[in-house]
Amino acid sequence: MIPFSPPRIDDKIVSEVADALRSGWITTGPKTKLFEKKIAKYCNVENVLAVNSWTTGAELLLYWFGIKEGDEVIVPVYTYCASANIVRHRGAKVIMVDVNSDFGIDISKVEKYISERTKAIIPVDVGGLPIDFDGLKEIVNKRRVIDKFNPQTENQKKLGRIMILSDAAHSFGAKYKGLNVGSEVDFTVFSFHAVKNLTTAEGGAICINLPTPFDNKEIYKELNTLSLHGQNKDALAKYQKGNWEYDVIDAGFKCNMTDILSSIGLVEFARYETETLPKRKKIFDIYYEGLKNCDWVELPVSKDTNRESSYHLFLLKIKDVSLEERNSIIQEIFKLDVSVNVHYKPLPLLSYYKKLGYEINDYPKAKSIWEREISLPVYFDLSNEQIERVISAVKRAYYKIKKNETII
Ligand SMILES: *Cc1c(COP(=O)(O)O)cnc(C)c1O
């Protein structure tokens, strides 16, 4: 069976983790701080806070911005539940917006969903392809949109407009206008979950990029404190001789990254540009080559004028299939010992959001994409022979279900 996306665990990872364990420092410490610095440099920002997941990091930012019951946050309808769940954790309302055929939020629709209650927008770089950041920034900076903004907290007053928090769970190393993503909007949050391009088993990182008058170094310190219960001294600082006393300035979160996990991240980071990304791109290239002559597929966009994907997910769409046919094609592919996946079941189809009254028919693009989507395996250890088997399985499954033909 060809798996969908196993992590790359080799001797290097194992020995770095062992080294972290033997160092005697297993929670947040020097390795985490080094990992943060490397990400910051790579992402063209000065301040990066490592956290224990995308979810906790992004929710921490909503908390920091004072988002609460009565507020609204705009989220694309086509995403993993985490992007919306964090809004519900803060008690705010999720405002869903439809997407483009490249899976990104439909910028042209955003403004009509903005109200006096809108406090933030969480666009998602689905599959690793950055969204149109300039287009989105233009909207939140429009005079009439700024005039609508109704700030309630110090940070909201200071920003003076809707906050943009980029869900970059898929797009570490993706490029926007030639730069690795991270410095486009107010906050960019990565996920280092086991299936993501760069993994620490579980983990995430926040790129802090607020405009003046914010001091991003101060915001880093503030968020760091908030990621540790609002305690003003972390374990490393308290470890200094005689330095036991601390204060708690807020009922903060507990979402710090550990040095054990950062040790994995440092190995992954060191080989990311030289091994991980080139390999993923190569897999995409072989899929493109193998499927380009099939007039029944719609291949994913991975590059255009301003954007280049991190090649996280190969999001294939089959033309002219019903949901049932798509599902049958997936079953056939599995019978050929190839694992595939669907990204994503749009939020209104999930019981929780359905119960809240969201309706898939309000989002025709997302509905059409979801009914036809199949994600193919992409991971470092996938061999050329396996890639060819995947392509062949997709073709065989399609012909079997759609044409009732058996092809070799
Ligand atoms: C994986 C993922 C997340 C959540 O990341 P965690 O690190 O598991 O919290 C959020 N958004 C998207 C689009 C994801 O794919």
Side-chain angles (χ1 to χ4, degrees), residues 345-382:
K345 197 164 176 175
L347 299 173
L349 292 175
L350 307 173
S351 299
Y352 174 75
Y353 288 100
K354 203 183 279 178
K355 262 193 302 203
L356 289 178
Y358 298 92
E359 172 43 67
I360 187 65
N361 291 318
D362 294 339
Y363 308 96
K365 196 81 198 179
K367 180 169 187 282
S368 149
I369 294 177
W370 128 259
E371 289 179 349
R372 302 183 295 113
E373 201 275 337
I374 301 175
S375 307
L376 308 186
V378 182
Y379 54 92
F380 187 83
D381 292 316
L382 197 63

Side-chain angles (χ1 to χ4, degrees), residues 53-56 79-80 82-83 124 167 169-170 190-193 196 202-203 344:
S53 74
W54 180 95
T55 303
T56 51
T79 182
Y80 182 57
S83 326
V124 185
D167 180 343
H170 298 174
F190 299 115
S191 169
F192 304 138
H193 176 268
K196 304 288 157 69
E202 295 282 358
Y344 287 94

